[in-house]
Amino acid sequence: MTQVIIERNSLKIIDLQEAKGSEHDFKIYKDTIGKGVSDSIALDADLGYQGIEAYHSNSFIPIKASKNHQQTEGEKAYNRELAKRRVVVEHINAKIKTCKCMAYPYRGHCGNRHSLRMTLICGIINYDRLL
């Protein structure tokens, strides 16, 4: 499992966090960079990061609707604005997955090769953004 960290303004991939095997996104965040991120930096995350407010006060996740509590118009507008900011992250994830070796679970012999390949692909994507 790999967590990609992207800078919002330049859309550059600034960091990769690797986990051995299948781990939850929020667990990778807590184990690697959790308390190290300054509160002055705004974090946009998906619903996989529920509970991030305890670690980072300047974080934004979508507001979830339930069967007994439907979303108000303000909550829907908030989710739309957050989705507009997060769509660029999903586009970069799609670019990573165009390399077919990253689109499927890595079945290589060494975990280090996955990290190396992921770093190289992200470097190529960053270089492509410069052009």
Side-chain angles (χ1 to χ4, degrees):
M1 179 70 170
T2 306
Q3 186 176 41
V4 180
I5 301 167
I6 300 168
E7 201 272 322
R8 184 184 296 172
N9 296 330
S10 66
L11 302 178
K12 287 178 62 177
I13 300 169
I14 57 174
D15 195 17
L16 294 172
Q17 298 295 330
E18 296 277 335
K20 291 188 185 257
S22 178
E23 282 193 23
H24 196 272
D25 296 340
F26 190 45
K27 182 171 179 4
I28 297 172
Y29 173 80
K30 289 189 293 187
D31 292 344
T32 56
I33 60 170
K35 295 284 185 183
V37 180
S38 171
D39 283 338
S40 63
I41 298 171
L43 290 178
D44 294 338
D46 58 6
L47 280 175
Y49 291 88
Q50 283 182 336
I52 197 171
E53 296 88 13
Y55 289 86
H56 192 271
S57 62
N58 194 11
S59 58
F60 303 98
I61 60 171
I63 299 170
K64 190 175 177 181
S66 68
K67 187 163 83 172
N68 298 326
H69 172 70
Q70 298 301 317
Q71 288 183 337
T72 64
E73 289 301 318
E75 291 171 341
K76 288 180 183 179
Y78 169 80
N79 284 349
R80 268 194 239 77
E81 287 300 316
L82 185 60
K84 286 178 187 176
R85 291 194 313 243
R86 277 193 35 79
V87 72
V88 294
V89 174
E90 298 303 328
H91 288 163
I92 292 173
N93 286 340
K95 281 190 176 191
I96 291 170
K97 289 183 179 182
T98 56
C99 181
K100 290 300 179 190
C101 64
M102 294 296 127
Y104 302 108
Y106 187 72
R107 305 244 185 250
H109 297 288
C110 300
N112 294 339
R113 290 184 185 163
H114 177 266
S115 178
L116 175 66
R117 287 185 177 121
M118 189 68 168
T119 304
L120 289 172
I121 291 168
C122 290
I124 291 169
I125 291 170
N126 280 343
Y127 180 74
D128 188 38
R129 290 232 175 249
L130 292 175
L131 298 179

